Amino acid sequence: MVLFQPSTSLAQIGRARFSLRSAAGRPSGPLLFSLVLHATVQAIVADPQCTDLTSNCWYLDDGVLAGTRASLIRALEVIQEHSVSSGLSLNYSKCELYSLQNLDMLISRSATPRFEILGAPIGTTEFCVEYIQKKIAEARQLLHLLPQLCETQVALSLLRMCTWIWQFLHSTTWFHPLNQSPLHSKPKQRLLSQKIEDAGFSSLIQESLTAVKARLRAVSQPQAHAWLRATPSPSLGLNLGSSEMQVLLKFWLGLPLDSPTDLCPFCSSALDAMGHHSLTCKHGGFVIARHNRLRDCLAHFCQIAGLAPEVEKGCNFGCKDRMRPADVLVPLSRPAAFDLKVINPLNSDSILEASMIPGSTAEKGERDKHLKNDGPCNERGWSCIPLVVEVYGGWGQEAVSMFAHLSKLLSLRQRQSRSAALNELYCHLSVVLMRQNAQALLGHAAGAR
């Protein structure tokens, strides 16, 4: 998009009719459309009568042409000439022209631009403000309907992905009244947003207590939030009940869960308000169930990847302690013993370091696993690979490396991109972890006395 002088004409060529019936509705449709349109755009560039165009920009079926009256007329003629052979034609009812001169080829025209392109308003300050306010009113109507949904996870997913919030952020970022700086100095949206978020996070960290710092660093770990972006699908095993979702959100945000005077129904220890005893208490079976569900989920994905996993290998080793250094054993170049562990960064022995160094608790868990299992694994010719995850969902570096390798195998077997395979793996593991966390929190709260 370029800023233009008063003597310049600008046309928004919007939503050309898509006449390639065989490609409509298919994943390859946008690619085929772009290839066909590319020839038309190149013809405009090559035409000697279009050299005065200051803008010839397209995004699929949305285009912006800017230039002198003669060059703009010629560009429209080129589009019409190519429409016969390409099967694409202009939808004049959705085209707009800004010009101080008459140009009869287009229906909508004005001396002051007032239009929308790619979700962003272009025009005067009054028009842009009116546009944004209208979108806010539409979003407000949707937000008032979300609490009526029975499923909290579905409501949150719709809030994050399907309401107008992202379009609103896009529109406000590109909000650009014509009486301000030129449009060609477009903002670096992602960079600016990241700087704002980093500054806010740093300020929050500095003002917080040690426990809050540790929690904030834990929830900000890469992939810790995978359960929040998971599709709430029961058939995929990614759904969370409303009671589970609500208690998890309170836990995630650091809101009180239990009364300080409550006692654990399983070990009679005092329950803390943040629910951390509930997640680490070895009585009641919740810790074991969480470990086993994560193990089974990991083994399932290893099976899909064609690794022929074996579960709970290495019991005893001729010893009496019933040690199992391989929760999941997979036959890589050297058999790999995956040993899962869930660890809490707010434990008394790790909270101080966790408040200063993100991921330090998982890293400590990896070292402890190596000290414990490297010897027994080497006796069997195995490689010990600890897969340590914090209760908030952040994984240790060895797990991250192994999941990257596993996603490569999954992508080949399932014919999907590596990023999609990796996202699916993290989402499933994260939902399993959080579901078990929720059951532990709810189970302790129900029996508290």
Side-chain angles (χ1 to χ4, degrees):
M1 184 69 66
V2 298
L3 193 66
F4 43 90
Q5 301 298 322
S7 59
T8 304
S9 301
L10 180 142
Q12 177 195 2
I13 308 302
R15 309 190 185 284
R17 293 189 182 96
F18 191 9
S19 302
L20 299 178
R21 301 296 183 187
S22 61
R26 297 184 180 181
S28 58
L31 173 61
L32 296 176
F33 181 90
S34 299
L35 290 175
V36 173
L37 183 61
H38 183 69
T40 303
V41 176
Q42 290 300 107
I44 296 174
V45 173
D47 194 293
Q49 298 182 46
C50 297
T51 54
D52 290 336
L53 284 178
T54 56
S55 176
N56 181 22
C57 302
W58 295 79
Y59 180 80
L60 292 178
D61 58 351
D62 283 306
V64 175
L65 300 175
T68 62
R69 181 176 186 276
S71 61
L72 192 55
I73 290 177
R74 179 53 191 161
L76 293 174
E77 291 175 348
V78 171
I79 295 173
Q80 289 177 331
E81 292 169 1
H82 278 253
S83 65
V84 177
S85 59
S86 66
L88 302 177
S89 60
L90 284 176
N91 185 353
Y92 286 105
S93 65
K94 294 187 176 180
C95 296
E96 249 185 284
L97 170 70
Y98 163 62
S99 176
L100 298 181
Q101 304 174 7
N102 292 326
L103 198 63
D104 297 330
M105 297 182 67
L106 296 178
I107 297 175
S108 301
R109 49 188 175 272
S110 66
T112 302
R114 294 169 62 89
F115 60 86
E116 169 195 354
I117 185 168
L118 298 180
I122 306 298
T124 62
T125 300
E126 293 76 13
F127 171 74
C128 293
V129 170
E130 179 184 353
Y131 178 91
I132 296 298
Q133 289 177 343
K134 179 181 177 181
K135 293 299 183 180
I136 291 175
E138 294 174 356
R140 185 177 289 115
Q141 293 179 0
L142 292 175
L143 292 176
H144 288 164
L145 295 175
L146 285 180
Q148 300 179 25
L149 292 174
C150 298
E151 295 293 334
T152 305
Q153 186 186 21
V154 174
L156 179 61
S157 181
L158 290 174
L159 175 64
R160 296 181 64 247
M161 305 303 297
C162 301
T163 58
W164 196 75
I165 182 171
W166 299 115
Q167 297 180 35
F168 173 74
L169 292 175
H170 170 75
S171 298
T172 53
T173 301
W174 280 95
F175 168 71
H176 209 297
L178 292 179
N179 58 356
Q180 295 185 9
S181 57
L183 286 171
H184 57 71
S185 59
K186 65 180 183 181
K188 302 292 186 180
Q189 178 179 353
R190 181 173 300 178
L191 179 60
L192 178 60
S193 298
Q194 188 62 52
K195 287 185 176 180
I196 294 174
E197 292 174 5
D198 291 344
F201 183 78
S202 298
S203 176
L204 188 61
I205 285 288
Q206 293 175 1
E207 298 171 358
S208 300
L209 300 175
T210 301
V212 178
K213 290 180 180 178
R215 179 182 59 81
L216 291 174
R217 294 196 185 280
V219 299
S220 64
Q221 284 287 89
Q223 304 300 339
H225 59 279
W227 64 286
L228 289 170
R229 68 170 184 266
T231 303
S233 170
S235 61
L236 296 177
L238 295 174
N239 62 304
L240 292 165
S242 291
S243 58
E244 294 174 337
M245 196 70 185
Q246 291 168 16
V247 75
L248 285 173
L249 290 174
K250 293 176 69 176
F251 167 68
W252 186 264
L253 297 172
L255 301 177
L257 294 166
D258 300 306
S259 170
T261 60
D262 289 340
L263 297 180
C264 175
F266 304 104
C267 69
S268 298
S269 298
L271 293 176
D272 61 285
M274 299 295 105
H276 297 297
H277 173 82
S278 302
L279 298 178
T280 55
C281 179
K282 296 184 179 179
H283 302 273
F286 295 104
V287 170
I288 295 175
R290 180 177 60 194
H291 173 274
N292 291 345
R293 297 297 182 273
L294 283 171
R295 176 204 63 198
D296 294 343
C297 182
L298 177 62
H300 171 71
F301 276 94
C302 290
Q303 187 70 43
I304 295 176
L307 294 178
E310 298 180 74
V311 175
E312 297 292 354
K313 293 293 291 185
C315 179
N316 291 331
F317 280 96
C319 303
K320 298 180 180 181
D321 57 4
R322 297 180 57 81
M323 181 173 57
R324 296 180 177 89
D327 291 320
V328 180
L329 182 69
V330 294
L332 300 179
S333 56
R334 186 184 186 191
F338 295 156
D339 194 5
L340 283 158
K341 182 177 183 178
V342 182
I343 195 167
N344 191 345
L346 273 73
N347 283 342
S348 57
D349 59 344
S350 57
I351 185 172
L352 183 59
E353 188 175 7
S355 68
M356 297 183 291
I357 306 174
S360 60
T361 307
E363 183 180 347
K364 179 179 181 297
E366 291 175 340
R367 293 196 301 267
D368 293 342
K369 282 291 185 182
H370 277 299
L371 289 174
K372 180 180 179 182
N373 293 334
D374 278 353
C377 285
N378 287 330
E379 292 177 12
R380 291 292 184 92
W382 299 348
S383 296
C384 174
I385 302 180
L387 305 180
V388 181
V389 59
E390 298 178 354
V391 291
Y392 287 101
W395 291 86
Q397 288 303 309
E398 293 195 53
V400 170
S401 299
M402 180 49 60
F403 292 160
H405 175 71
L406 182 58
S407 68
K408 180 179 180 180
L409 301 177
L410 289 169
S411 67
L412 294 174
R413 298 274 294 193
Q414 300 187 114
R415 297 183 179 181
Q416 60 182 166
S417 66
R418 288 185 63 178
S419 60
L422 186 61
N423 180 68
E424 182 181 0
L425 175 61
Y426 273 120
C427 283
H428 276 82
L429 288 170
S430 184
V431 169
V432 169
L433 171 67
M434 289 301 172
R435 182 185 294 121
Q436 297 306 128
N437 283 346
Q439 291 181 8
L441 292 169
L442 293 171
H444 280 76
R449 52 186 174 84

